[in-house]
Amino acid sequence: MKATVLLVEDDMASLELAAYLLEHQGYRIHRAEDGRQGLDIARRLVDQLDLILSDIQMPNMDGYELLRELRGNPAMAGIPVVAITAFSMRGDEQAILNAGFDGYISKPIDPERFTTQVGQWLSAEPRS
């Protein structure tokens, strides 16, 4: 069985495209429309999640706040968290990595490369 991924994204088109691409490759996907909902899902599925992909700019709880909450909880601190964001100005990627994200994928996502990019942050043995 492929890995279990939590997608946290407030833009429905981006969320559905990413979910479709990953599901097509056999990944098990959980969706959240903002950071608060993502945190709730992560708490419930902590033992199943292999990766969290999160937008940065979202209502209710942004990606940075979500990351702080995840890293502050020992049970969730080890789950890789990758930012998927339209922030692409000089220095944005480094700022995201400096904040503690494990990686960065720029939007709009490239459907031809997306699943390969995601695979970089998944271990050979899924937790789920």
Side-chain angles (χ1 to χ4, degrees):
M1 167 73 56
K2 289 251 185 170
T4 299
V5 177
L6 171 59
L7 291 171
V8 186
E9 170 65 69
D10 65 318
D11 178 74
M12 285 301 105
S14 295
L15 179 66
E16 291 306 317
L17 175 60
Y20 170 80
L21 293 169
L22 293 171
E23 286 172 340
H24 186 70
Q25 292 296 314
Y27 293 97
R28 190 172 337 157
I29 303 302
H30 295 276
R31 297 167 176 84
E33 296 177 16
D34 63 39
R36 185 161 292 132
Q37 187 181 36
L39 183 59
D40 290 343
I41 292 169
R43 285 178 176 144
R44 279 197 327 267
L45 302 176
V46 64
D47 294 329
Q48 299 172 35
L49 292 176
D50 298 297
L51 177 66
I52 298 172
L53 301 174
S54 179
D55 189 13
I56 297 293
Q57 191 171 1
M58 297 178 289
N60 299 320
M61 179 186 282
D62 69 20
Y64 291 113
E65 293 172 279
L66 172 61
L67 181 69
R68 280 191 296 276
E69 291 289 331
L70 293 168
R71 296 295 191 241
N73 181 323
M76 296 185 287
I79 301 170
V81 183
V82 175
I84 300 182
T85 182
F87 290 157
S88 60
M89 299 296 291
R90 176 177 291 214
D92 285 339
E93 181 176 2
Q94 194 58 49
I96 287 167
L97 296 174
N98 288 344
F101 283 91
D102 295 288
Y104 170 95
I105 297 174
S106 62
K107 287 196 293 189
I109 62 174
D110 178 350
E112 306 246 339
R113 295 181 43 224
F114 182 64
T115 56
T116 302
Q117 290 173 302
V118 168
Q120 296 175 51
W121 293 285
L122 292 169
S123 66
E125 290 297 318
R127 295 166 26 132
S128 49

